[in-house]
Amino acid sequence: MEKSTHSIPVKSPKRNLWKALLEAIKGTEADYTTISLKRAIFLLAVPMILELVMESTFALVDIYFVGKLGASAVATVGLTETYLFLLYSIGMGLSMAVTAIIARRIGEKKGENASESAVQSIILAILSAIPFSIAGIFYAEELLALMGADSWTLTYGTSYLQWMLGGNVVILLLFVINAVFRGAGDAAIVMWVLGIANGINIVLDPLLIFGWGPFPAMGLEGAAIATNIGRSFGGTCTNIIFSYSVKRIEEK
Protein backbone atom coordinates (compact mmCIF):
# COMPACT_ATOMS: atom_id res chain seq x y z
CA MET A 1 0.00 0.00 0.00
CA GLU A 2 1.46 3.30 -1.08
CA LYS A 3 1.82 6.09 1.48
CA SER A 4 0.27 9.41 0.58
CA THR A 5 2.82 12.09 -0.28
CA HIS A 6 0.33 14.86 0.41
CA SER A 7 0.53 16.58 3.79
CA ILE A 8 -2.01 18.78 5.48
CA PRO A 9 -0.71 22.36 5.69
CA VAL A 10 -0.18 23.46 9.28
CA LYS A 11 -0.38 27.12 10.17
CA SER A 12 2.64 28.56 11.89
CA PRO A 13 2.11 29.23 15.63
CA LYS A 14 3.71 32.64 15.11
CA ARG A 15 1.24 33.44 12.34
CA ASN A 16 -1.65 32.33 14.53
CA LEU A 17 -0.40 34.59 17.34
CA TRP A 18 -0.23 37.65 15.07
CA LYS A 19 -3.68 36.88 13.69
CA ALA A 20 -5.12 36.63 17.21
CA LEU A 21 -3.33 39.84 18.22
CA LEU A 22 -4.79 41.76 15.28
CA GLU A 23 -8.22 40.30 16.03
CA ALA A 24 -7.97 41.42 19.67
CA ILE A 25 -6.93 44.96 18.70
CA LYS A 26 -9.51 45.35 15.91
CA GLY A 27 -12.27 43.92 18.08
CA THR A 28 -14.23 40.75 17.69
CA GLU A 29 -17.76 39.53 18.31
CA ALA A 30 -16.67 35.96 18.94
CA ASP A 31 -18.87 33.82 21.17
CA TYR A 32 -16.58 33.28 24.16
CA THR A 33 -18.66 30.34 25.33
CA THR A 34 -17.71 28.35 22.23
CA ILE A 35 -14.04 29.21 21.64
CA SER A 36 -11.08 27.85 23.60
CA LEU A 37 -10.31 29.31 27.02
CA LYS A 38 -6.77 30.38 26.02
CA ARG A 39 -8.02 32.26 22.97
CA ALA A 40 -10.81 33.92 24.94
CA ILE A 41 -8.36 35.14 27.62
CA PHE A 42 -6.00 36.47 24.96
CA LEU A 43 -8.74 38.34 23.07
CA LEU A 44 -9.94 39.98 26.29
CA ALA A 45 -6.54 40.63 27.89
CA VAL A 46 -4.87 42.51 25.03
CA PRO A 47 -7.42 45.38 24.84
CA MET A 48 -7.50 45.58 28.64
CA ILE A 49 -3.70 45.93 28.88
CA LEU A 50 -3.65 48.56 26.14
CA GLU A 51 -6.50 50.39 27.86
CA LEU A 52 -4.47 50.65 31.09
CA VAL A 53 -1.41 51.79 29.12
CA MET A 54 -3.45 54.53 27.46
CA GLU A 55 -4.90 55.65 30.78
CA SER A 56 -1.36 56.05 32.11
CA THR A 57 -0.37 57.92 28.95
CA PHE A 58 -2.46 60.91 30.05
CA ALA A 59 -0.13 61.45 33.01
CA LEU A 60 3.03 60.80 30.97
CA VAL A 61 2.04 63.39 28.37
CA ASP A 62 1.19 65.91 31.10
CA ILE A 63 4.56 65.35 32.79
CA TYR A 64 6.42 65.74 29.48
CA PHE A 65 4.94 69.16 28.72
CA VAL A 66 4.60 70.34 32.32
CA GLY A 67 8.28 69.48 32.88
CA LYS A 68 9.17 72.60 30.91
CA LEU A 69 7.54 74.68 33.68
CA GLY A 70 9.93 73.41 36.34
CA ALA A 71 10.43 70.68 38.92
CA SER A 72 7.61 71.86 41.17
CA ALA A 73 5.16 71.59 38.29
CA VAL A 74 6.22 67.98 37.70
CA ALA A 75 5.85 67.32 41.43
CA THR A 76 2.28 68.65 41.27
CA VAL A 77 1.39 66.13 38.57
CA GLY A 78 3.04 63.34 40.59
CA LEU A 79 1.20 64.25 43.79
CA THR A 80 -2.10 64.44 41.93
CA GLU A 81 -1.52 61.05 40.32
CA THR A 82 -1.00 59.62 43.82
CA TYR A 83 -4.60 60.50 44.64
CA LEU A 84 -5.77 59.33 41.23
CA PHE A 85 -4.17 55.93 41.87
CA LEU A 86 -6.66 55.51 44.72
CA LEU A 87 -9.36 56.22 42.19
CA TYR A 88 -7.85 53.78 39.70
CA SER A 89 -7.93 51.03 42.34
CA ILE A 90 -11.64 51.64 42.86
CA GLY A 91 -12.19 51.70 39.11
CA MET A 92 -10.33 48.43 38.58
CA GLY A 93 -12.19 46.77 41.44
CA LEU A 94 -15.55 47.88 40.07
CA SER A 95 -14.61 46.88 36.53
CA MET A 96 -13.65 43.33 37.56
CA ALA A 97 -16.95 42.88 39.40
CA VAL A 98 -18.97 44.38 36.54
CA THR A 99 -17.22 42.21 33.94
CA ALA A 100 -17.96 39.08 35.97
CA ILE A 101 -21.64 39.97 36.44
CA ILE A 102 -22.25 40.96 32.80
CA ALA A 103 -20.40 37.89 31.50
CA ARG A 104 -22.43 35.61 33.74
CA ARG A 105 -25.72 37.12 32.60
CA ILE A 106 -24.64 36.89 28.95
CA GLY A 107 -23.57 33.28 29.46
CA GLU A 108 -26.96 32.51 31.02
CA LYS A 109 -28.65 34.12 27.98
CA LYS A 110 -30.24 36.73 30.25
CA GLY A 111 -29.52 39.80 28.17
CA GLU A 112 -32.18 41.94 29.83
CA ASN A 113 -30.69 41.29 33.27
CA ALA A 114 -27.25 42.10 31.85
CA SER A 115 -28.43 45.50 30.61
CA GLU A 116 -29.99 46.25 34.01
CA SER A 117 -26.71 45.37 35.73
CA ALA A 118 -24.84 47.62 33.29
CA VAL A 119 -27.03 50.64 34.12
CA GLN A 120 -26.71 49.94 37.85
CA SER A 121 -22.91 49.77 37.54
CA ILE A 122 -22.83 53.21 35.89
CA ILE A 123 -24.91 54.67 38.72
CA LEU A 124 -22.54 53.07 41.24
CA ALA A 125 -19.53 54.56 39.41
CA ILE A 126 -21.05 58.05 39.57
CA LEU A 127 -21.80 57.68 43.28
CA SER A 128 -18.23 56.47 43.92
CA ALA A 129 -16.84 59.52 42.12
CA ILE A 130 -18.75 62.12 44.14
CA PRO A 131 -16.58 62.00 47.32
CA PHE A 132 -13.39 62.40 45.24
CA SER A 133 -14.91 65.35 43.38
CA ILE A 134 -15.94 67.08 46.58
CA ALA A 135 -12.52 66.51 48.17
CA GLY A 136 -10.69 67.69 45.04
CA ILE A 137 -12.74 70.84 44.48
CA PHE A 138 -13.00 72.09 48.05
CA TYR A 139 -9.89 70.66 49.76
CA ALA A 140 -7.26 70.68 46.98
CA GLU A 141 -4.77 72.82 48.89
CA GLU A 142 -5.12 70.72 52.04
CA LEU A 143 -4.62 67.51 50.06
CA LEU A 144 -1.43 68.84 48.47
CA ALA A 145 -0.15 70.07 51.83
CA LEU A 146 -0.84 66.62 53.29
CA MET A 147 1.54 65.16 50.68
CA GLY A 148 4.28 67.66 51.59
CA ALA A 149 3.91 70.01 48.62
CA ASP A 150 6.13 73.10 48.48
CA SER A 151 4.89 76.69 48.43
CA TRP A 152 4.98 76.93 44.61
CA THR A 153 2.79 73.84 44.28
CA LEU A 154 0.33 75.10 46.89
CA THR A 155 0.08 78.41 45.02
CA TYR A 156 -0.04 77.28 41.39
CA GLY A 157 -0.89 73.58 41.57
CA THR A 158 -4.17 73.75 43.46
CA SER A 159 -6.21 74.37 40.31
CA TYR A 160 -4.58 71.35 38.64
CA LEU A 161 -5.72 69.05 41.45
CA GLN A 162 -9.18 70.64 41.44
CA TRP A 163 -9.64 69.92 37.75
CA MET A 164 -8.24 66.39 37.90
CA LEU A 165 -10.16 65.17 40.94
CA GLY A 166 -13.21 67.28 40.18
CA GLY A 167 -13.61 65.57 36.81
CA ASN A 168 -12.80 62.08 38.06
CA VAL A 169 -16.29 60.77 37.24
CA VAL A 170 -15.18 60.41 33.61
CA ILE A 171 -12.34 58.10 34.68
CA LEU A 172 -14.65 55.78 36.61
CA LEU A 173 -17.20 55.77 33.79
CA LEU A 174 -14.50 54.74 31.33
CA PHE A 175 -13.44 51.90 33.63
CA VAL A 176 -16.98 50.66 34.21
CA ILE A 177 -18.35 51.02 30.68
CA ASN A 178 -15.31 49.23 29.29
CA ALA A 179 -15.97 46.47 31.83
CA VAL A 180 -19.53 46.19 30.51
CA PHE A 181 -18.31 45.83 26.93
CA ARG A 182 -15.65 43.35 28.06
CA GLY A 183 -18.26 41.23 29.84
CA ALA A 184 -20.45 41.34 26.73
CA GLY A 185 -17.51 40.14 24.64
CA ASP A 186 -16.52 43.41 22.94
CA ALA A 187 -13.39 44.59 24.72
CA ALA A 188 -11.74 46.75 22.05
CA ILE A 189 -14.24 49.63 21.76
CA VAL A 190 -13.11 51.74 24.72
CA MET A 191 -9.47 50.98 23.93
CA TRP A 192 -9.89 52.75 20.59
CA VAL A 193 -11.84 55.60 22.17
CA LEU A 194 -9.07 56.09 24.74
CA GLY A 195 -6.53 56.19 21.92
CA ILE A 196 -8.40 59.09 20.30
CA ALA A 197 -8.81 60.80 23.70
CA ASN A 198 -5.04 60.57 24.22
CA GLY A 199 -4.50 62.13 20.80
CA ILE A 200 -6.72 65.07 21.79
CA ASN A 201 -4.76 65.48 25.03
CA ILE A 202 -1.43 65.44 23.19
CA VAL A 203 -2.62 68.19 20.83
CA LEU A 204 -4.26 70.38 23.48
CA ASP A 205 -1.54 70.15 26.14
CA PRO A 206 1.02 72.45 24.51
CA LEU A 207 -1.69 74.78 23.21
CA LEU A 208 -3.21 75.39 26.63
CA ILE A 209 -0.03 75.15 28.75
CA PHE A 210 2.16 77.48 26.71
CA GLY A 211 -0.52 79.54 24.97
CA TRP A 212 0.30 78.65 21.39
CA GLY A 213 -1.76 80.39 18.71
CA PRO A 214 -4.97 82.04 19.93
CA PHE A 215 -4.96 80.17 23.24
CA PRO A 216 -3.93 81.88 26.50
CA ALA A 217 -0.99 80.44 28.45
CA MET A 218 -2.63 78.63 31.37
CA GLY A 219 0.32 76.66 32.72
CA LEU A 220 -0.56 73.72 34.96
CA GLU A 221 -4.26 74.47 34.80
CA GLY A 222 -4.09 74.18 31.01
CA ALA A 223 -2.67 70.66 31.32
CA ALA A 224 -5.55 69.65 33.56
CA ILE A 225 -8.15 71.18 31.24
CA ALA A 226 -6.62 69.43 28.21
CA THR A 227 -6.68 66.08 29.99
CA ASN A 228 -10.28 66.57 31.09
CA ILE A 229 -11.35 67.52 27.57
CA GLY A 230 -9.69 64.40 26.18
CA ARG A 231 -11.21 62.15 28.81
CA SER A 232 -14.62 63.82 28.48
CA PHE A 233 -14.55 63.15 24.75
CA GLY A 234 -13.78 59.51 25.49
CA GLY A 235 -16.52 59.35 28.13
CA THR A 236 -19.08 60.93 25.80
CA CYS A 237 -18.24 58.53 22.98
CA THR A 238 -18.41 55.47 25.22
CA ASN A 239 -21.76 56.60 26.65
CA ILE A 240 -23.17 57.04 23.15
CA ILE A 241 -21.87 53.63 22.09
CA PHE A 242 -23.18 52.15 25.33
CA SER A 243 -26.70 53.53 24.75
CA TYR A 244 -26.74 51.91 21.30
CA SER A 245 -25.30 48.66 22.65
CA VAL A 246 -27.86 48.10 25.41
CA LYS A 247 -30.33 46.60 22.92
CA ARG A 248 -27.62 44.31 21.57
CA ILE A 249 -26.81 43.18 25.10
CA GLU A 250 -30.51 42.48 25.77
CA GLU A 251 -30.68 40.33 22.64
CA LYS A 252 -27.75 38.14 23.72
Side-chain angles (χ1 to χ4, degrees):
M1 183 177 180
E2 294 183 0
K3 293 184 179 180
S4 175
T5 57
H6 298 286
S7 59
I8 300 173
V10 179
K11 292 184 178 180
S12 167
K14 188 175 181 180
R15 184 179 177 184
N16 287 336
L17 178 62
W18 278 109
K19 184 179 179 181
L21 181 62
L22 290 174
E23 187 178 359
I25 294 173
K26 288 170 60 178
T28 178
E29 294 186 0
D31 186 351
Y32 291 91
T33 61
T34 59
I35 63 177
S36 67
L37 182 60
K38 288 183 178 180
R39 183 163 178 261
I41 292 174
F42 186 84
L43 291 176
L44 291 172
V46 170
M48 185 177 179
I49 293 170
L50 292 176
E51 173 203 345
L52 292 174
V53 169
M54 290 179 188
E55 184 57 51
S56 301
T57 303
F58 283 107
L60 292 175
V61 171
D62 282 354
I63 290 174
Y64 174 78
F65 289 109
V66 165
K68 303 181 188 301
L69 300 177
S72 294
V74 175
T76 303
V77 177
L79 293 176
T80 302
E81 283 298 313
T82 301
Y83 287 112
L84 288 178
F85 280 136
L86 297 176
L87 189 73
Y88 295 154
S89 64
I90 294 174
M92 286 187 280
L94 283 175
S95 65
M96 285 188 285
V98 170
T99 298
I101 292 172
I102 299 299
R104 179 173 180 177
R105 295 292 178 261
I106 295 296
E108 293 171 343
K109 307 300 180 184
K110 296 179 180 179
E112 188 173 344
N113 291 339
S115 65
E116 290 177 0
S117 299
V119 174
Q120 290 169 359
S121 67
I122 289 177
I123 295 173
L124 182 59
I126 294 172
L127 292 176
S128 300
I130 291 175
F132 283 88
S133 294
I134 293 173
I137 293 171
F138 297 104
Y139 301 101
E141 187 174 348
E142 288 80 1
L143 289 172
L144 289 173
L146 182 65
M147 297 296 291
D150 58 23
S151 58
W152 190 96
T153 299
L154 293 176
T155 303
Y156 299 102
T158 301
S159 59
Y160 182 85
L161 182 60
Q162 286 176 324
W163 275 99
M164 296 302 288
L165 283 185
N168 79 87
V169 64
V170 180
I171 299 174
L172 284 181
L173 285 176
L174 286 171
F175 270 106
V176 170
I177 294 176
N178 193 27
V180 172
F181 284 121
R182 196 182 307 122
D186 202 351
I189 290 178
V190 179
M191 178 198 70
W192 282 103
V193 172
L194 272 176
I196 298 172
N198 267 292
I200 293 173
N201 183 47
I202 291 170
V203 172
L204 290 181
D205 253 353
L207 296 178
L208 298 181
I209 293 172
F210 309 117
W212 291 359
F215 299 94
M218 303 176 70
L220 266 175
E221 188 175 6
I225 293 173
T227 301
N228 273 278
I229 290 174
R231 280 181 172 147
S232 296
F233 172 83
T236 302
C237 289
T238 50
N239 273 291
I240 293 173
I241 297 170
F242 172 79
S243 64
Y244 281 106
S245 300
V246 167
K247 289 184 179 180
R248 288 176 57 195
I249 292 174
E250 290 177 353
E251 292 171 357
K252 290 190 176 184

